[in-house]
Amino acid sequence: MKKAVFLFYITLMSFSYAQQLPVLNLRTEAGSYSHIGLRGLSKNDICVILGSNSPARPVTDYTIYIFKDGGKIAAYHQKSALSYENIELSEENRQTLFKIIQSGKFKKFLKYDQEDFEYKDEKTGEGKFPIIDTNYNLTVIQNGKQNTYSYLSKDYLKSDHPRINKTVLKKYAFILDMFRNVKIDKEH
């Protein structure tokens, strides 16, 4: 009986620890993001904004996750400034999302800057290469600070363009795929 109580206590402690928010090392002062309703973020809340837009569609679609201590996550999908749908998350999805923001890969990626996606060698050509693909955005906000990244799809890993930093792009694609692999249901 004592073993069962001990195991239950250890499981409960590890579950509650897993729901605590990490303190992320973010660099830039956060914008207002009032167009997607983020004025009410509490101090330690973590907001992750995933966006995508393609040349064929100039409007950016956003999926927004707001993480709070204790395992709460508010999530929604925004297709325009005035239109959004709540996202219903299962307990499994909540745990998976918390594991993502607590993962070493996520925290290590946040050490990169936007400039790290491309090499700055003068010999590789003028300006950036033409963007004819979908652009993916990731913004992470906590405690009034943010990191924002915007780059092309992982299809550019196959490119031989000398300015693409494939190491950073591969890590970016991995982070985006972790979030995309969470199956979500939208309320209508």
Side-chain angles (χ1 to χ4, degrees):
M1 180 68 173
K2 288 182 182 180
K3 277 188 176 181
V5 171
F6 178 74
L7 288 174
F8 175 74
Y9 179 73
I10 294 298
T11 304
L12 184 64
M13 292 300 291
S14 65
F15 179 72
S16 66
Y17 174 75
Q19 303 302 311
Q20 296 301 314
L21 296 175
V23 176
L24 303 174
N25 185 17
L26 306 175
R27 292 175 295 284
T28 308
E29 290 297 320
S32 71
Y33 291 97
S34 59
H35 66 287
I36 50 179
L38 300 182
R39 289 184 184 166
L41 283 180
S42 296
K43 183 178 178 186
N44 290 324
D45 292 351
I46 295 173
C47 178
V48 176
I49 304 169
L50 303 162
S52 65
N53 61 355
S54 69
R57 187 167 184 263
V59 177
T60 302
D61 287 334
Y62 293 104
T63 300
I64 298 125
Y65 298 106
I66 300 173
F67 296 83
K68 298 183 173 288
D69 275 326
K72 296 179 183 173
I73 302 174
Y76 56 98
H77 181 77
Q78 182 175 8
K79 291 187 175 191
S80 71
L82 301 174
S83 162
Y84 71 92
E85 299 172 316
N86 288 326
I87 297 173
E88 199 60 40
L89 297 172
S90 67
E91 185 58 34
E92 180 182 344
N93 287 345
R94 288 181 205 284
Q95 289 179 15
T96 300
L97 288 165
F98 265 94
K99 285 178 186 175
I100 292 169
I101 65 166
Q102 293 170 336
S103 72
K105 289 186 186 254
F106 183 72
K107 292 175 189 174
K108 285 178 185 175
F109 179 78
L110 294 175
K111 293 178 182 178
Y112 288 106
D113 289 316
Q114 178 66 40
E115 295 80 29
D116 294 325
F117 282 94
E118 293 184 14
Y119 296 113
K120 296 164 183 64
D121 187 359
E122 302 297 325
K123 300 175 189 174
T124 60
E126 296 178 17
K128 293 186 176 189
F129 45 91
I131 296 175
I132 54 172
D133 192 10
T134 300
N135 191 31
Y136 294 93
N137 308 303
L138 169 67
T139 298
V140 181
I141 303 170
Q142 184 182 40
N143 295 327
K145 298 282 188 179
Q146 75 180 40
N147 284 9
T148 299
Y149 307 94
S150 179
Y151 209 68
L152 307 170
S153 75
K154 63 184 172 185
D155 292 339
Y156 277 79
L157 288 170
K158 300 171 194 164
S159 171
D160 60 354
H161 196 287
R163 291 198 57 187
I164 298 173
N165 184 339
K166 291 185 181 181
T167 302
V168 175
L169 180 54
K170 186 175 183 179
K171 291 176 182 181
Y172 184 58
F174 183 81
I175 297 297
L176 294 177
D177 285 345
M178 285 195 314
F179 281 103
R180 278 193 210 112
N181 289 334
V182 176
K183 303 299 181 212
I184 55 177
D185 297 319
K186 298 171 193 158
E187 291 180 357
H188 298 287

